Amino acid sequence: CVLCRFPRGAVVPGEVGPSAGRGGVVRCQVPGALEGLTGTPILVSVSFNGGVDFHPSPPSAALHLTTEPVVRSVDPTHGFSDRPTTVTVSGVNFGPKGGDLVCVFGAMTSPATRDPLDDGMVTCEAPVQ
């Protein structure tokens, strides 16, 4: 029986992929008890003998939780046909500071700039389409 032990005492069943223990894969469902640890490296211990022994993962294999971004508003909702339009996107979970963000307009992308005073706001240029 394969088990995965997460911080805060959560232990969940795991499944073994091809050649586990020799460069293979162990899959475990991340428990909801880890909410609030987003962005923090999480070391997971794995047991291959039903929890008798747990083997810690090396720091290089730490789990990094992310949450889905949520867009709350886009302003303006219409743009110009003859020139680029500056668009402000407001929401949450846009990723870590310093991460690359882009806005997608149809098949075109535009780099997004995070507001230095508000992590939940980014701006980008909607290209002429």
Side-chain angles (χ1 to χ4, degrees):
C1 174
V2 177
L3 297 173
C4 298
R5 182 171 59 196
F6 292 87
R8 300 183 179 166
V11 177
V12 298
E15 63 182 45
V16 179
S19 60
R22 294 185 305 266
V25 175
V26 173
R27 291 185 182 92
C28 302
Q29 181 73 33
V30 176
L34 298 182
E35 289 182 22
L37 294 180
T38 301
T40 304
I42 298 170
L43 297 179
V44 180
S45 299
V46 178
S47 173
F48 294 98
N49 58 9
V52 175
D53 299 304
F54 280 91
H55 307 281
S57 60
S60 62
L63 172 68
H64 295 269
L65 296 179
T66 60
T67 53
E68 290 293 317
V70 176
V71 173
R72 295 212 168 116
S73 68
V74 177
D75 186 51
T77 57
H78 295 83
F80 301 105
S81 60
D82 60 344
R83 64 184 184 271
T85 303
T86 299
V87 176
T88 301
V89 180
S90 299
V92 294
N93 303 327
F94 289 150
K97 291 181 181 180
D100 293 331
L101 298 174
V102 296
C103 293
V104 179
F105 300 95
M108 304 171 104
T109 61
S110 173
T113 304
R114 191 183 304 265
D115 184 311
L117 301 177
D118 185 349
D119 282 344
M121 188 174 297
V122 298
T123 57
C124 49
E125 293 291 317
V128 174
Q129 294 194 7

